[in-house]
């Protein structure tokens, strides 16, 4: 069975601090996809990144970066120089090779204080 | 391009009633999936439709059903509502092609309250 664990329920940081959100996944598939979504107070889930299981390259997009380590089944997300607008619930998710059977982690609520 | 549209945004129903939620996907998207989000259970997959056929189903009772129309719009129905059905129901659309895992595009959700 597929499973996603986000051990951090809530994190609070002060603006401009760096913060890392942890994600650990379980799957028996050899090919799968990992995702990060952001859910601001408005409720809509916003897609941040998709990573194929064969692509272990880390990725950086502006203040966001992702560290995918297959050996530890982790796909961690770092926000550098956090801003108040980053406050949201962040979900890590896993899907099968066909982009189906999505499983979401419980989410991490990030509060960035001014 | 218009995003995923869900109607209504808010709904209040009484136990035992039934409810229908609507979702219009992004133009060109053929896959529509539904999720239930509650504080206790988090985000849980309900079902997914592709070209008017249910392709995947989550672990929910038969009171939860859905359908997809030829224009890819989808409806979700919950019969004999229970208090525990109170949740944010999110709809997501994607191209649905089994080539690579396309990201899901989510709507703003319908918040259902059962009293």
């Amino acid at each position: 069975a597929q499973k996603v664990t986000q051990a951090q329920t809530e994190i609070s940081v002060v603006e401009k601090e760096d913060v890392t959100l942890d994600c650990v996944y379980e799957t028996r598939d050899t090919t799968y996809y990992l995702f990060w979504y952001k859910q601001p107070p408005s409720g809509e889930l916003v897609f941040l990144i998709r990573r194929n299981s064969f692509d272990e390259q880390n990725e950086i997009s502006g203040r966001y970066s992702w560290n995918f380590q297959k050996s530890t089944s982790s796909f961690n997300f770092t926000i550098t120089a956090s801003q108040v607008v980053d406050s949201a619930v962040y979900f890590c998710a896993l899907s099968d090779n066909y982009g189906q059977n999505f499983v979401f982690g419980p989410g991490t609520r990030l509060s960035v204080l001014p | 391009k218009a995003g995923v549209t869900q109607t209504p945004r808010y709904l209040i129903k009484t136990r035992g009633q039934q409810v229908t939620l609507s979702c219009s996907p992004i133009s060109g998207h053929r896959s529509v999936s539904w999720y239930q989000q509650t504080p206790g259970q988090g985000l849980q997959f309900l079902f997914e439709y592709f070209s008017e056929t249910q392709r995947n189903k989550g672990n929910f009772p038969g009171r939860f059903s859905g359908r997809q129309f030829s224009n890819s719009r989808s409806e979700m129905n919950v019969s004999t509502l229970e208090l525990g059905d109170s949740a944010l129901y999110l709809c997501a659309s994607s191209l649905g092609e089994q080539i690579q895992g396309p990201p899901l595009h989510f709507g703003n959700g319908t918040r259902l309250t059962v009293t």
Side-chain angles (χ1 to χ4, degrees):
Chain A
Q2 305 201 117
K3 185 180 177 182
V4 176
T5 302
Q6 294 177 256
Q8 305 146 309
T9 306
E10 292 191 41
I11 301 176
S12 285
V13 298
V14 177
E15 211 171 13
K16 296 185 184 174
E17 283 186 9
D18 298 347
V19 59
T20 295
L21 310 182
D22 298 332
C23 172
V24 174
Y25 63 93
E26 294 176 31
T27 180
R28 293 180 185 167
D29 295 341
T30 53
T31 304
Y32 51 88
Y33 290 87
L34 293 163
F35 304 79
W36 275 94
Y37 281 86
K38 172 183 179 180
Q39 188 176 40
S42 60
E44 179 182 352
L45 278 154
V46 178
F47 166 75
L48 295 177
I49 189 171
R50 171 185 65 216
R51 176 63 68 207
N52 181 294
S53 56
F54 292 111
D55 182 2
E56 287 193 69
Q57 273 192 329
N58 291 331
E59 179 154 340
I60 298 175
S61 175
R63 297 184 297 108
Y64 295 169
S65 62
W66 290 269
N67 184 338
F68 176 29
Q69 293 201 338
K70 230 170 163 178
S71 59
T72 56
S73 297
S74 66
F75 186 43
N76 297 336
F77 172 31
T78 297
I79 302 175
T80 304
S82 60
Q83 299 176 2
V84 173
V85 293
D86 296 327
S87 297
V89 181
Y90 290 85
F91 292 93
C92 180
L94 169 70
S95 81
D96 62 21
N97 182 35
Y98 301 102
Q100 305 304 327
N101 297 316
F102 263 77
V103 174
F104 284 84
T108 296
R109 181 177 298 278
L110 173 66
S111 297
V112 181
L113 308 173
Chain B
K1 217 178 195 181
V4 177
T5 304
Q6 289 187 249
T7 56
R9 286 297 309 274
Y10 302 94
L11 209 48
I12 300 175
K13 289 285 188 178
T14 306
R15 257 187 316 179
Q17 287 186 316
Q18 75 161 20
V19 66
T20 299
L21 313 181
S22 179
C23 173
S24 293
I26 289 174
S27 177
H29 284 191
R30 295 163 66 192
S31 169
V32 173
S33 49
W34 289 87
Y35 294 80
Q36 182 196 64
Q37 186 176 23
T38 60
Q41 300 297 321
L43 266 163
Q44 292 185 286
F45 170 73
L46 278 156
F47 28 64
E48 185 246 353
Y49 286 87
F50 180 80
S51 293
E52 301 179 66
T53 301
Q54 187 180 84
R55 196 162 61 170
N56 289 291
K57 190 177 191 304
N59 189 24
F60 276 81
R63 300 185 297 107
F64 292 81
S65 63
R67 58 178 176 168
Q68 186 180 34
F69 302 95
S70 57
N71 61 358
S72 293
R73 191 178 70 85
S74 176
E75 287 182 348
M76 188 194 107
N77 186 75
V78 188
S79 62
T80 319
L81 284 166
E82 300 176 0
L83 294 178
D85 297 333
S86 295
L88 179 66
Y89 289 89
L90 290 162
C91 168
S93 76
S94 68
L95 289 170
E97 301 295 339
Q98 295 183 355
I99 301 173
Q100 291 189 13
L104 297 176
H105 299 268
F106 284 85
N108 285 328
T110 293
R111 185 164 295 283
L112 171 65
T113 302
V114 182
T115 62

